[in-house]
Amino acid sequence: MTRVAIIGTGDLAYGLAHLYSINNTSSSSHALEVTKPNLQKEGFFHDTDVPLTDFDDALVRADILIFAIPSVALCDFVVAHERKLTGKILVDVTNSYKPNQDLSSALQKISSTESDTSDGSDKILSSKTGFRWVKAFNDIGAVDILLRKPGAKTKIASKMCSNSPEALEMVKSFAETSMGLDIKAVPIEQYKVIANDQNSLGTEWMTATWTILGVFALTMIYNIMRHPVKKGYPWEQFPLFVMNKSISWTALWGFAITQVPGVIALIHNAWHRDTLRDKPMWLRNFLACRKQLGLVSLWFLAVHIVMSCLLFSIAYYDRFFEDKYDPKSKMTANGESSFMFGSFGSCLYFILGVCSLPCVAEAMTRKQWSFVYGPVTWTALCFGTAHVMCQGIGVTWYKAPWSNAGNMPPITLISCLLPWAVIAFKAFQMIFVKILNFSAKRKEVGGHW
């Protein structure tokens, strides 16, 4: 029988005990207990069937010790109980914001044997120190596992990493058979990737957010200069009426930027025609954040829709109505066309957002994915661009050079420039790739394997 002890009584300890209580069977070869230093309580741990036990007794009995304690206290704990931990399998569940506050670093500090860094990893020589550790359960949230029901149809996925294959297999077996988790073993060389899984916003999200915020800042500068400064719009209308223009502009440009890396990648593949040739790092990073760019842009689109619905009246948008002095006036052809394209494009983008959800994306076939993020995406961009164009054609564009706005072109025109360029770039890519493929066939050059 494998005996496991959770050291700590916090939320994660409670969550792990809960998983054990709803998944472990009486015929299991695993036993779990919960303890901590100076524990002054007996019985079961909350509403689970996991017993609370004496700290010293638990350390003697346990084969596996799960450290569900704060990362700041981990090093001191290991130093204080070094002798009792020797020979045990130690499980680190922490996610520290500061470096060197994990179990691996704590064991290195007390170890008399130097770390083996010859292969670039931070492995501890367990054969000499007696310490075998496993990084586990740090990529699942306490709330998620506490809300887990016994009849759940799916398993919670988690990753583990260890300096000992034997230790990893033991902890993995316990997690899968007695806790109902779906475990993926990660090589020790990738330890740093999962060490602080919950403490990162993600490089892709940060890149996408700052990119779109940069676009928003540029649109706001132009918007403020043209409307409140040059045209004299009252500042009282800035929070909704004026800002809504920049919100819409940012959403449109964000969706256009999202399409650019895919087009570049297709041209790159067609031009080099060598599957062993790697793409430049900047292009790979650009491709990696497409989903995040699209979702941040989708947020701006949703805000634009809400703001437009709040503002939509003949008092704000008289140019969309046949008679601006008649409150019962119907919309012009431009107005109806604009909102038709806007409705079509928005709904398509919401479909794209739904398809980006892991539970939906994983169920899609390759053909479905290619269709949704190919023709559907480009159709949505065309509809969004047409939505803006209908608000400028025959309304403001013909008034050039716009002397009442300091000769600054209207936003409906400026905001269409990038989408036009991206759509033209896509058309060029399609023709360019077809020409290269045709040329390759004529020269009897093999395509991609």
Side-chain angles (χ1 to χ4, degrees), residues 19 85 106 109 118 138-140 158 191 216 239 248 252 270 292 311 316 352 359 362 364 370 390 432:
L19 284 182
L85 302 180
K109 290 180 181 179
S118 60
N138 69 313
D139 57 351
I140 53 179
S158 183
Y191 169 74
F216 180 63
S248 172
L252 185 59
Q292 290 77 9
L311 289 168
Y316 278 103
L352 295 171
C359 59
E362 290 173 1
M364 295 173 65
S370 298
C390 288
F432 183 75

Side-chain angles (χ1 to χ4, degrees), residues 14 50 139 153 189 231 297 325 343 379 446:
Y14 183 17
V50 180
D139 57 351
K153 295 181 179 180
E189 289 78 11
K231 295 193 69 174
S297 301
Y325 300 106
S343 300
T379 301

Side-chain angles (χ1 to χ4, degrees), residues 362-381:
E362 290 173 1
M364 295 173 65
T365 65
R366 183 181 182 277
K367 190 169 185 178
Q368 290 171 338
W369 192 92
S370 298
F371 176 73
V372 170
Y373 290 101
V376 172
T377 305
W378 286 102
T379 301
L381 181 61

